[in-house]
Amino acid sequence: MIIKKFIAITGIIHCEAGLRIGGTKEGIVEPGGSENTIIRHPITLLPYILGSSIKGKMRSLLESDASSGAQILDDGKPCKCGRCLVCKVFGSHGMSNKEITRILVRDCSITPESESVLRTAQEERGINFAEIKSENIINRKTGTAADKGLRTQERVPAGTEFNMNITIKLFKDDDEDNILKIVNKGIDLLQKDYLGSSGSRGYGKIKINNLEIREIN
């Protein structure tokens, strides 16, 4: 396999709704805080978006798209036909004939502007770079809150922005137009669906601004 070129796709992920990508509970739960924490950088404690979360969601959405040619497996695992464009771009998953991954999705750091906003909120109101959202389960018979139904979760506040950085690795015989087309379709589907968890309850709606595609020299 001879590499022909690298292409960078960059943009700004704008959270139109609270975003929740879960993190570890160990050692960072503060008094009065949530046990369902978001992912944070271990040193700065700033939230970030895992590249694996974006890549996995894009692949899942594309495999569910009828035009992709991917196979929906009964066990819910990713397509492993090795022939469709999704397998070619996103790589092998349990294939006997391994396919090289063309897409590299970097972890997304918070923008300096959003970091400044969250640090100000931390200083003025004591929030830990996240909002605490309470949810409850309703007893269907009584219409009241169910016993032990109350839960709290952390979310990155709506309005927060992150730097998106995707690299496409193209090989000599690759169909560049179709590979870029399917990656762009994945980005489009991601904005129509949601990122992270609890999308059906309003979480994770994003918009990608300043989208730019360029060859890396």
Side-chain angles (χ1 to χ4, degrees):
M1 300 288 280
I2 299 174
I3 294 177
K4 182 171 67 176
K5 67 171 74 169
F6 288 89
I7 293 178
I9 301 177
T10 58
I12 301 295
I13 297 175
H14 177 84
C15 297
E16 294 191 334
L19 173 67
R20 172 169 170 72
I21 295 177
T24 178
K25 299 176 182 177
E26 296 180 1
I28 58 175
V29 178
E30 298 180 350
S34 170
E35 291 187 348
N36 298 309
T37 58
I38 57 171
I39 188 81
R40 286 186 171 84
H41 187 282
I43 306 301
T44 66
L45 300 184
L46 289 166
Y48 68 101
I49 299 175
L50 295 165
S52 58
S53 294
I54 295 176
K55 183 186 175 190
K57 186 64 185 236
M58 286 174 63
R59 180 172 191 155
S60 171
L61 290 168
L62 287 167
E63 287 176 349
S64 300
D65 187 85
S67 65
S68 72
Q71 299 174 358
I72 303 298
L73 304 181
D74 293 337
D75 60 7
K77 293 181 179 177
C79 178
K80 52 183 178 183
C81 74
R83 300 182 300 276
C84 71
L85 200 51
V86 175
C87 285
K88 184 176 284 292
V89 172
F90 288 82
S92 61
H93 184 85
M95 302 176 200
S96 56
N97 183 19
K98 298 291 184 183
E99 185 61 70
I100 297 175
T101 303
R102 267 77 170 174
I103 187 171
L104 315 173
V105 185
R106 317 290 186 188
D107 289 345
C108 305
S109 61
I110 194 167
T111 64
E113 294 79 11
S114 285
E115 178 182 346
S116 176
V117 169
L118 291 184
R119 286 197 181 281
T120 298
Q122 183 189 43
E123 293 169 2
E124 294 180 350
R125 296 191 292 278
I127 72 169
N128 188 17
F129 304 118
E131 64 173 310
I132 304 295
K133 185 175 183 298
S134 298
E135 298 183 344
N136 215 331
I137 298 174
I138 302 300
N139 184 307
R140 268 56 172 175
K141 290 184 178 179
T142 64
T144 59
D147 183 36
K148 298 181 181 178
L150 180 65
R151 59 177 179 267
T152 59
Q153 304 198 89
E154 279 191 343
R155 302 194 312 178
V156 174
T160 306
E161 294 185 330
F162 297 87
N163 298 299
M164 184 188 77
N165 191 327
I166 295 174
T167 298
I168 308 297
K169 184 167 53 179
L170 294 168
F171 295 98
K172 182 180 177 183
D173 297 323
D174 281 346
D175 185 332
E176 179 176 340
D177 289 343
N178 275 334
I179 287 177
L180 287 178
K181 186 176 178 181
I182 198 168
V183 172
N184 278 319
K185 185 162 192 176
I187 292 172
D188 180 58
L189 291 172
L190 191 61
Q191 295 178 87
K192 291 175 179 172
D193 203 81
Y194 66 89
L195 182 62
S197 65
S198 305
S200 67
R201 300 201 299 274
Y203 293 35
K205 180 171 175 49
I206 63 166
K207 183 175 178 57
I208 299 174
N209 299 319
N210 304 335
L211 193 64
E212 182 179 319
I213 301 175
R214 59 181 172 81
E215 185 173 338
I216 302 174
N217 297 319

